Amino acid sequence: MSLKVEAIKPAVGAIVHVDRSQILGKAVARKCLELIERHGVVVFPRAGLDNEEQKIFTDNLGASVSFTSNAPGSGDKSGGYNITLDPKINNEPEYVQGTFFWHLDGMPMANIAPPKASVLSCRRKSATGGQTEFASTFAAYDALSEEDKAEYGRLTVVHSLVAGVREVKAFDELQPHMRTRKAERPLVWTYPSGRKALLIGYTADEVVGWPKAEGRALFARLLEWAAQPAFSYRHQWQEGDLVVWDNCGALHRVIPYSKDSGRLMHRTSVAGAELAA
Ligand SMILES: [Fe+2]
């Protein structure tokens, strides 16, 4: 396998150059898993995978998981999720508009472990907006003081879908099953390798045992910390680009784009595993 890796910034992001004929091989998948844990997000420029090929690529990374089967504008037979604001395909755009705000996928889903990785392909890009930004929660954790690391390591956070879409959808406008969707997660997520990441984002609703306002203030500070330029990267999509990120190691959000932009993305997800205590 011939593969060249080019770091984007020291703390976040890498571009992977690999021959198109090798991208669906197991060796590339192994390397990709190593790279997302190191760099948070990796870009395969103009990979040009179709839905079936993206499924093969995703399956090589681990068991796939679909946590958006109930979401409007949802999936297809390959288990992927088509992300669009086109009203002909998606009649409830608020769930996609929720992605205008920093988040980690799957956080409010109590019945699943946080997904391991997300895989996103650009089918059609928007002429304006539509770039995806990433902020490394690995880098954000690593740069904390030892005192903060120790304190945050003891905290548990409630993530809710209500909090995740609060900027675009009022509570009483949500479908009833969406109103109760929440899960408790540790603020500091530890990998088998010892790598640690902060589980934050707009879905973070409160710190267990803290007054709500104090928890929200902490989340706001940590989001700003994680999104500082040294820890974040904005991807300017080209059609066919494939971007893979460690779902707990990289917050993401999209720069707003319009319903008639034609933007169409295809996302697949790799299941995570709860860690032994
Ligand atoms: Fe997302």
Side-chain angles (χ1 to χ4, degrees):
M1 174 185 65
S2 86
L3 181 146
K4 196 170 137 245
V5 181
E6 200 184 323
I8 295 172
K9 294 183 181 180
V12 63
I15 298 170
V16 178
H17 302 279
V18 62
D19 195 89
R20 178 69 170 77
S21 64
Q22 298 184 324
I23 198 166
L24 299 182
K26 297 266 197 312
V28 170
R30 273 194 300 276
K31 186 71 181 171
C32 184
L33 287 169
E34 184 190 312
L35 290 171
I36 59 171
E37 193 167 320
R38 178 160 172 208
H39 299 279
V41 47
V42 300
V43 178
F44 294 81
R46 302 267 192 180
L49 302 190
D50 64 22
N51 289 6
E52 285 305 310
E53 289 170 321
Q54 185 168 333
K55 181 171 175 12
I56 294 167
F57 180 90
T58 306
D59 287 345
N60 283 343
L61 297 176
S64 61
V65 61
S66 175
F67 50 89
T68 42
S69 53
N70 290 330
S74 187
D76 63 11
K77 285 195 253 13
S78 70
Y81 179 54
N82 295 316
I83 302 171
T84 177
L85 284 174
D86 183 342
K88 292 195 289 296
I89 303 171
N90 182 354
N91 60 7
E92 290 193 71
E94 292 84 356
Y95 296 99
V96 171
Q97 287 170 333
T99 66
F100 293 176
F101 303 91
W102 288 118
H103 66 283
L104 307 167
D105 289 337
M107 278 301 121
M109 308 295 289
N111 57 339
I112 60 164
K116 165 70 189 154
S118 297
V119 181
L120 191 61
S121 281
C122 178
R123 299 281 180 257
R124 282 195 304 277
K125 65 176 186 173
S126 176
T128 55
Q131 303 93 335
T132 302
E133 293 188 315
F134 298 92
S136 174
T137 56
F138 289 138
Y141 177 84
D142 289 345
L144 290 172
S145 68
E146 292 307 313
E147 193 183 358
D148 283 346
K149 285 178 182 172
E151 183 191 356
Y152 299 160
R154 293 189 286 270
L155 301 182
T156 300
V157 174
V158 178
H159 288 262
S160 75
L161 188 138
V162 172
V165 299
R166 65 184 182 263
E167 300 290 347
V168 294
K169 193 110 172 156
F171 179 82
D172 55 10
E173 294 171 339
L174 285 168
Q175 296 170 24
H177 70 279
M178 299 289 189
R179 296 177 189 171
T180 53
R181 189 163 288 176
K182 56 174 68 173
E184 288 189 3
R185 312 283 189 193
L187 176 56
V188 177
W189 187 248
T190 306
Y191 287 68
S193 64
R195 190 92 156 113
K196 291 178 195 277
L198 293 171
L199 299 189
I200 50 177
Y202 264 70
T203 56
D205 204 3
E206 55 188 303
V207 174
V208 174
W210 282 24
K212 194 151 184 165
E214 285 182 32
R216 283 282 177 92
L218 173 65
F219 302 143
R221 280 205 311 280
L222 290 177
L223 266 186
E224 203 173 332
W225 172 248
Q228 63 180 282
F231 302 161
S232 60
Y233 164 65
R234 175 183 286 195
H235 186 66
Q236 304 276 356
W237 291 99
Q238 298 300 320
E239 282 168 21
D241 282 355
L242 179 79
V243 174
V244 186
W245 65 95
D246 189 298
N247 184 56
C248 294
L251 288 155
H252 59 286
R253 69 177 177 184
V254 63
I255 301 301
Y257 56 97
S258 68
K259 289 180 186 174
D260 56 4
S261 69
R263 186 183 192 268
L264 178 65
M265 311 293 284
H266 187 71
R267 190 196 65 204
T268 44
S269 300
V270 181
E274 293 286 3
L275 298 178

